[in-house]
Amino acid sequence: MNIRRWSAGVLAAALFVPGLAACKDETGSPTAASTSAAAEKPADPKEALAASTKELQKGEFAFTIKGGEINGGGTVHLPSKSAEMKVETAADELSMTMDLVFIDGDSWVKLELAGPMADVVPGFKAMKGKYQHLDRSKLKGTAKELNFDFSDVDPAGAEKMIKAITDVKQTGEGTYEGTIDTTKATDADLLDADTIKALGDQASAVPFTAKVDAQGRLTELAVQVPAAGGTEAQTLTVTYEYGSAAAIQAPPAAQVVEASDQVYEMFKG
C-alpha cells in the first residue's frame, strides 16, 4: 500500500466531498538466526545495503515513517497475514489520524479529525470513535491502496529505493551515505511519483543516509529531498525494529460498524 498516495487526498475529501461524513512502537532483541547473519554481511557498501532488506521480506517488524505532510508507523506480521498502522496528516484547518487494521482479507479504518473545521465535516460525528469495516469490492480509485499487499509487506518500499542507489560509501560502523536515482524508484512508497517529477534533474541524485544493526538488518533509511515545485526541502525517514511483532487482533466488535457509501466515496480520491 502507498500511504502517501491517498492520505492527503482523504483529508481533502473530508472537506470537499458533499454529504460526507491503527501503531505500536515496539523494540525487540535479535533472534539466534538473525545473529548468525552478522558474519555474512557483504563488505561492499551497496551489497551490504541490498542484503540489509532481506529481513524485511520475512514480514515481522515494526516501523515508523516521518517527514513531509504525513507521519505514521505500525506493525507487520506476515505469518498471521496481519498488520496495523496509524497515519497522521494535516492541512491548514484540519488534521486527521487514521488507524488501520488489516487481517488477511479484512480491513478496518478509524478516522479522527481535529482542528477548526473538524466539527463541520458532514457525518463525522456518526463515525467518530468507530472502526469502519471495509468491503474490498467497494474500494475504488486510490481507495484500493487500503488493501494491504502481503506479498509486498514494506510500507515504505526501502528495498526499491536501495536498488536505485547510484553512489554509496560506508561512513562508520553500520552507517552509510550516498545518492539515489529516484527516477528508478517511482513505485517506492517513501517518495511519491509527483515529488520525483517535480525534482527534475535533481531526482537522479537525491542524497540519503542509512543505518544497519549488528546483524546487518536495515534499521533506518533517510532520504534528503531537495526543495522543488513549491515544496520546501525535507527529510523522509523510515525506521525498522525487529523481534517483537505479533499477530494483530481485530478491533472490538462494540467499536465496529460497516462502512457507509459516503466513506467509500471519501477514500476513492
Side-chain angles (χ1 to χ4, degrees):
M1 70 182 302
N2 189 322
I3 62 175
R4 293 187 178 276
R5 184 173 299 156
W6 50 259
S7 294
V10 172
L11 182 62
L15 287 171
F16 301 119
V17 174
L20 291 184
C23 169
K24 297 179 181 177
D25 183 14
E26 301 182 31
T27 58
S29 56
T31 64
S34 61
T35 301
S36 65
E40 301 174 6
K41 289 189 293 183
D44 178 79
K46 188 171 183 178
E47 290 181 4
L49 287 179
S52 74
T53 64
K54 291 181 179 179
E55 189 73 16
L56 293 175
Q57 298 168 15
K58 297 178 181 179
E60 294 186 67
F61 57 85
F63 70 95
T64 64
I65 296 177
K66 297 180 179 180
E69 299 177 350
I70 299 169
N71 297 285
T75 303
V76 176
H77 190 257
L78 182 58
S80 61
K81 284 193 174 181
S82 64
E84 65 174 350
M85 64 180 65
K86 178 179 286 186
V87 181
E88 299 176 349
T89 186
D92 291 341
E93 297 186 325
L94 182 68
S95 62
M96 179 177 67
T97 299
M98 288 189 291
D99 286 301
L100 298 138
V101 178
F102 309 93
I103 300 178
D104 201 358
D106 283 307
S107 302
W108 297 262
V109 59
K110 182 172 72 171
L111 298 176
E112 297 292 344
L113 303 181
M117 295 293 293
D119 291 336
V120 302
V121 176
F124 171 66
K125 291 183 179 179
M127 70 173 74
K128 189 173 183 179
K130 297 290 186 179
Y131 282 90
Q132 312 284 314
H133 179 250
L134 301 171
D135 180 346
R136 289 189 173 188
S137 69
K138 295 182 180 180
L139 296 175
K140 310 296 182 182
T142 56
K144 292 180 181 179
E145 296 293 340
L146 287 171
N147 289 332
F148 194 94
D149 184 357
F150 286 102
S151 67
D152 184 14
V153 294
D154 178 13
E159 181 181 12
K160 298 170 184 175
M161 298 291 285
I162 287 174
K163 285 183 177 179
I165 287 175
T166 55
D167 181 62
V168 60
K169 64 180 180 181
Q170 186 169 0
T171 56
E173 184 63 32
T175 61
Y176 302 84
E177 67 177 30
T179 56
I180 296 173
D181 183 351
T182 59
T183 65
K184 297 179 180 178
T186 55
D187 56 345
D189 298 347
L190 186 62
L191 188 60
D192 64 81
D194 288 341
T195 300
I196 294 172
K197 183 178 180 180
L199 287 172
D201 292 342
Q202 299 180 98
S204 62
V206 175
F208 80 93
T209 60
K211 297 178 182 178
V212 303
D213 63 13
Q215 288 71 51
R217 303 171 299 186
L218 183 69
T219 57
E220 179 181 294
L221 176 65
V223 181
Q224 291 86 42
V225 184
T231 302
E232 295 182 356
Q234 56 186 324
T235 297
L236 306 177
T237 304
V238 56
T239 63
Y240 300 98
E241 296 176 348
Y242 309 92
S244 60
I248 309 303
Q249 302 301 309
Q255 298 178 23
V256 175
V257 296
E258 289 299 318
S260 66
D261 291 341
Q262 289 85 354
V263 170
Y264 293 108
E265 185 68 21
M266 181 168 65
F267 277 100
K268 185 170 66 175

